[in-house]
Amino acid sequence: MMSPRLLAVLCAVLCFATAFGWDKEGHEAIGMTAMSALKGKALQQVKRLMGGKDVVDISDWAHKVNKLYPWTEKLHFQPQTEWGCKLDFNNCPANVCLVNALKHFYGRLTNKKVGETANLKYPEDMKLTDADALKFLISLIADMHQPMHLGFATDDCGREFNATYRGQPSSLYEIFDTKLVQTSVTERPGFWYGGWTHVNAVKQLFETEKAEWQSKDHEMFDKWAEENVQTACTKIYKDPSSNERIASGFAVSPHDGAAPEAVAPARER
């Protein structure tokens, strides 16, 4: 079992580490930020549970699990009612969805009661260790802060929403999950490999969230999810420059490393 207090530090770190993107490179950046904040017993427990590895080393672990056990992919998403714009659990059969999974793995690691909705049943051939539970927790917190993981059920969280990125066909989900990260790495290497991945870049917010966790505990998962539902609903499914709902074929064209209003939500998260 991992200490609830120490695990709270990790959760708060990961919340504010999700600063730009969510593919492999994005997860690595998240990991670097988290590791810059973990110290003492918290760092020792993470290292012990993961056999000497750290958060950066497991950036693509969940994707490998998804290939072995395809049903686990649904743990990374929580499809929302179209234009409901409020966190709901209407598409969580058998509790298989993002927020419920977060609570499940957190409860397993801390032996805390986190509610009936956190009960998950694994296939008989799937055996998870505490290290696996921690890896899931790390990956899912990062995914929750990619707003399209809480996109509309009607377009499969943006994966069936046709758009274009710099003139090339793409899905709305892919733009925010991959394209914006790749553009930043390629065109702004000084920024990407600079000091933005250190926790000091978000120190005040990190300390505030860490303190809030002490009173709200796992309820913070709902808060963070609600924030990202709002981001998806008001800043991605709507054009921030006009506040109008976007339609199929919506074009995103960042240029010269700038952050036009259409891509600002990714940088904000």
Side-chain angles (χ1 to χ4, degrees):
M1 182 183 76
M2 192 171 187
S3 164
R5 185 175 181 84
L6 298 182
L7 191 56
V9 174
L10 178 61
C11 288
V13 171
L14 288 166
C15 170
F16 280 100
T18 49
F20 192 87
W22 304 269
D23 62 354
K24 186 176 184 296
E25 288 80 6
H27 276 274
E28 288 177 348
I30 290 165
M32 286 187 285
T33 309
M35 293 307 298
S36 72
L38 289 176
K39 302 182 185 303
K41 291 183 178 180
L43 179 59
Q44 291 173 13
Q45 286 205 12
V46 168
K47 289 280 192 177
R48 177 182 59 79
L49 267 179
M50 297 200 297
K53 295 183 178 181
D54 60 35
V55 180
V56 181
D57 298 324
I58 63 166
S59 57
D60 62 345
W61 177 85
H63 295 291
K64 295 177 180 178
V65 174
N66 292 344
K67 291 180 180 179
L68 288 173
Y69 302 99
W71 74 273
T72 62
E73 183 178 1
K74 294 182 179 179
L75 298 177
H76 297 260
F77 294 87
Q78 188 147 338
Q80 298 293 292
T81 302
E82 186 176 25
W83 297 113
C85 299
K86 184 176 178 61
L87 177 65
D88 68 55
F89 294 77
N90 297 331
N91 295 282
C92 297
N95 299 325
V96 178
C97 61
L98 181 53
V99 177
N100 289 343
L102 277 168
K103 293 179 180 178
H104 169 79
F105 291 115
Y106 176 72
R108 170 171 173 162
L109 285 165
T110 61
N111 280 341
K112 285 189 174 183
K113 294 182 179 180
V114 292
E116 293 297 322
T117 59
N119 292 333
L120 285 178
K121 293 183 179 180
Y122 315 133
E124 291 184 359
D125 63 337
M126 186 175 185
K127 308 297 182 183
L128 294 181
T129 65
D130 284 349
D132 295 329
L134 179 60
K135 292 173 185 178
F136 261 120
L137 188 70
I138 291 167
S139 178
L140 294 174
I141 289 177
D143 283 338
M144 178 172 60
H145 285 78
Q146 201 280 57
M148 294 310 297
H149 279 252
L150 295 112
F152 296 161
T154 48
D155 57 39
D156 193 21
C157 294
R159 288 178 289 189
E160 294 181 3
F161 192 114
N162 296 324
T164 60
Y165 182 83
R166 291 188 164 182
Q168 298 298 314
S170 183
S171 70
L172 190 62
Y173 172 83
E174 186 180 15
I175 289 172
F176 282 88
D177 199 67
T178 304
K179 300 293 187 182
L180 293 175
V181 177
Q182 293 176 347
T183 298
S184 185
V185 173
T186 301
E187 300 182 1
R188 301 184 65 202
F191 162 77
W192 189 261
Y193 297 107
W196 76 279
T197 57
H198 196 281
V199 72
N200 284 342
V202 288
K203 188 68 173 178
Q204 183 175 352
L205 290 173
F206 165 61
E207 294 295 345
T208 298
E209 289 278 294
K210 186 171 68 172
E212 191 174 5
W213 183 280
Q214 300 307 316
S215 61
K216 295 184 177 179
D217 200 73
H218 65 274
E219 293 177 2
M220 292 293 287
F221 293 137
D222 296 274
K223 176 190 174 182
W224 294 336
E226 178 65 35
E227 290 174 355
N228 287 284
V229 168
Q230 292 301 317
T231 296
C233 203
T234 63
K235 297 182 180 180
I236 296 179
Y237 281 107
K238 285 185 178 181
D239 184 340
S241 63
S242 65
N243 201 36
E244 295 181 355
R245 297 179 182 184
I246 63 175
S248 181
F250 180 73
V252 179
S253 301
H255 54 85
D256 299 328
E261 289 181 320
V263 301
R267 298 184 185 276
E268 174 185 306
R269 296 321 302 165

